[in-house]
């Protein structure tokens, strides 16, 4: 009865268009699912050998994990902590949300939750009702986000020890075999696909020079990432669900597009993702810098996803979209004012302890650690003052002098040449029609700036 009451209140809060959209989505899930061929996902006759060569050379894409940064960190406390975390992954030992560490044995069962003793079914993801299931899916989702893979890539860069690369690729092989696209709890929702895509794409880039990255392996992983990206857009959260989940989906889409520009849909994926993120940045981070969801944990998560995409664009182009950096900056200034110099961190609202990208093994991201990360990347003085620099910041270069000077004057980073930056954002028209430009204040007045149709793949 309590659940029925909740659903009744939820429906009453929805506008008619959202109810229609949700009905169509439910009906669509009951129809035979359309499968996409490799040619549709990545483009026909893709030269995989040449694509891998360009991936290794990092041609036309940003680099987040590279040997030079690892060399700079060698022997540091950050490196030592990274190796400790990677060694736990080598032993298949994982701990989330304060639960006791779980040893998963020689072969990881990606659908088994050892904490709850639950085996999640390998049904199509949309048929798994996690809300009424016997167990909580949070732990198994966390495992399947594969956010530990970057630690293995970092450890390999630091040491050259092949055990780390071998473990990373063995886990990727195992995960892909056990989780066909759309099946299992790991594919329950585009949000999971988006967060996982970020981790896998960044880890793969860190391992790009490993001899274990064969053409066949590269092809399998990239095809999985392409399917993840397709779902991030086709199944993205809209209307009242357009919260941090939508940001995670769009960030996953942007990451795949930016790190794998050889894929045929990548230019469109990048445009769609960055356009929507620029519009959502103003919606999710309010003018005073507080989060629209009124939850500190979700605000930090959202800001770090925006920061990740902005930093990738900056590394590739030399500029970042001002709508993204402005949102992260005003969020940081708000949080810095809330915590002051000695005040405890605020704890209002929900917090699922989510990470945008785990470049260190900290069990949670505190407000001050978040501010330290923002300060390291953007040079925001308030964030630097109130923040404590987390180990993850060691893998990102400090802000340039120009960026620090601009931040000190209260200015944003230089505006990107990307068409969605500056004071404009874009919204798509009807299916098959060209995209039309609209002012950003118009975008902010809508709950969704995108239609419910999606282009395939």
């Amino acid at each position: 009865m309590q659940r029925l009451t909740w659903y009744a209140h939820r429906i009453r809060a929805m506008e008619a268009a959202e109810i229609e959209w949700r009905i169509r989505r439910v009906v669509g899930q009951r129809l035979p699912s359309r499968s996409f061929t490799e040619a549709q996902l990545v483009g026909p006759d893709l030269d995989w050998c040449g694509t891998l060569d360009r991936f290794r050379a990092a041609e036309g894409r940003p680099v987040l994990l590279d040997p030079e940064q690892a060399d700079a960190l060698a022997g540091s406390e950050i490196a030592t902590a990274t190796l400790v975390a990677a060694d736990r992954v080598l032993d298949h030992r994982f701990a989330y949300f304060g639960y006791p560490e779980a040893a998963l044995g020689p072969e990881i069962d990606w659908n088994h939750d050892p904490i709850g003793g639950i085996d999640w079914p390998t049904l199509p993801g949309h048929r798994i009702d996690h809300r009424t299931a016997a167990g909580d899916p949070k732990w198994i989702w966390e495992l399947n986000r594969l956010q530990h893979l970057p630690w293995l890539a970092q450890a390999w860069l630091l040491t050259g020890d092949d055990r780390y690369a071998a473990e990373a690729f063995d886990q990727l092989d195992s995960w892909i075999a056990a989780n066909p696209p759309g099946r299992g709890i790991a594919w329950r929702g585009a949000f999971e696909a988006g967060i996982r895509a970020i981790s896998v794409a960044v880890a793969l880039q860190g391992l790009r020079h490993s001899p274990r990255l064969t053409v066949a392996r590269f092809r399998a992983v990239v095809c999985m990432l392409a399917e993840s990206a397709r779902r991030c857009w086709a199944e993205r959260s809209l209307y009242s669900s357009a919260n941090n989940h939508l940001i995670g989906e769009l960030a996953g889409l942007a990451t795949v597009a930016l790190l794998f520009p050889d894929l045929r849909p990548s230019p469109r994926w990048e445009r769609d993702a960055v356009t929507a993120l620029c519009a959502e940045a103003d919606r999710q981070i309010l003018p005073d810098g507080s989060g629209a969801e009124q939850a500190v944990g979700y605000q930090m998560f959202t800001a770090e996803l925006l920061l990740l995409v902005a930093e990738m664009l900056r590394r590739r182009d030399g500029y970042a979209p001002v709508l993204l950096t402005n949102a992260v900056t005003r969020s940081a200034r708000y949080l810095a004012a809330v915590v002051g110099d000695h005040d405890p961190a605020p704890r209002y609202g929900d917090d699922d302890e989510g990470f945008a990208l785990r470049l260190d093994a900290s069990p949670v991201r505190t407000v001050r650690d978040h501010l330290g990360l923002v300060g390291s990347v953007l040079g925001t003085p308030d964030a630097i003052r109130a923040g404590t620099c987390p180990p993850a910041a060691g893998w990102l270069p400090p802000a340039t002098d120009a960026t620090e000077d601009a931040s000190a004057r209260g200015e944003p980073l230089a505006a990107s040449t990307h068409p969605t930056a500056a004071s404009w954002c874009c919204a798509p028209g009807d299916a098959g029609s060209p995209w039309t430009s609209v002012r950003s204040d118009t975008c902010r007045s809508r709950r969704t700036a995108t239609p419910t149709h999606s282009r395939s793949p």
Side-chain angles (χ1 to χ4, degrees), residues 172-369:
L172 275 171
D173 292 345
S174 168
W175 192 92
I176 291 172
N179 296 277
R183 298 192 70 88
I185 190 66
W187 289 98
R188 185 68 173 89
F191 176 72
E192 295 302 318
I195 299 302
R196 178 170 54 249
I198 293 171
S199 301
V200 173
V202 171
L204 193 68
Q205 187 182 67
L207 295 163
R208 65 190 181 278
H209 296 303
S210 169
R212 291 184 178 272
L213 182 56
T214 62
V215 173
R217 239 178 195 150
F218 179 72
R219 184 173 186 168
V221 175
V222 171
C223 284
M224 182 271 286
L225 290 172
E227 171 64 12
S228 301
R230 184 194 71 79
R231 288 173 179 269
C232 282
W233 182 255
E235 301 174 7
R236 65 197 182 280
S237 303
L238 297 174
Y239 296 102
S240 60
S241 294
N243 45 34
N244 68 86
H245 277 216
L246 177 60
I247 301 299
E249 292 151 8
L250 296 173
L253 177 64
T255 300
V256 174
L258 289 167
L259 296 189
F260 302 94
D262 296 271
L263 306 184
R264 182 183 63 176
S266 285
R268 188 183 75 242
W269 284 345
E270 178 185 340
R271 181 196 65 194
D272 289 355
V274 178
T275 294
L277 281 170
C278 284
E280 285 298 322
D282 273 357
R283 297 192 187 106
Q284 304 293 340
I285 305 298
L286 301 177
D288 66 355
S290 62
E293 294 187 78
Q294 299 297 294
V296 172
Y298 289 160
Q299 179 174 345
M300 293 191 297
F301 180 63
T302 294
E304 289 188 16
L305 287 166
L306 297 174
L307 180 66
L308 172 64
V309 176
E311 178 65 6
M312 286 192 290
L313 288 166
R314 185 192 69 81
R315 291 189 179 208
R316 187 193 64 181
D317 303 333
Y319 299 92
V322 70
L323 290 175
L324 300 185
T325 56
N326 274 354
V328 178
T329 298
R330 68 176 177 270
S331 169
R333 287 173 177 160
Y334 169 85
L335 291 173
V338 170
V339 298
D341 292 327
H342 306 290
D343 294 330
R347 297 182 60 85
Y348 59 80
D350 292 340
D351 184 2
D352 64 358
E353 301 179 4
F355 282 79
L357 172 65
R358 299 194 75 168
L359 293 181
D360 67 58
S362 302
V364 295
R365 177 83 81 231
T366 68
V367 172
R368 293 190 185 277
D369 283 349

Side-chain angles (χ1 to χ4, degrees), residues 136-157:
D136 185 345
K138 279 293 297 176
W139 198 97
I140 200 69
W141 272 337
E142 200 70 22
L143 176 68
N144 280 276
R145 289 179 182 181
L146 302 179
Q147 291 193 315
H148 56 273
L149 291 186
W151 303 342
L152 294 172
Q154 291 166 307
W156 181 77
L157 288 170

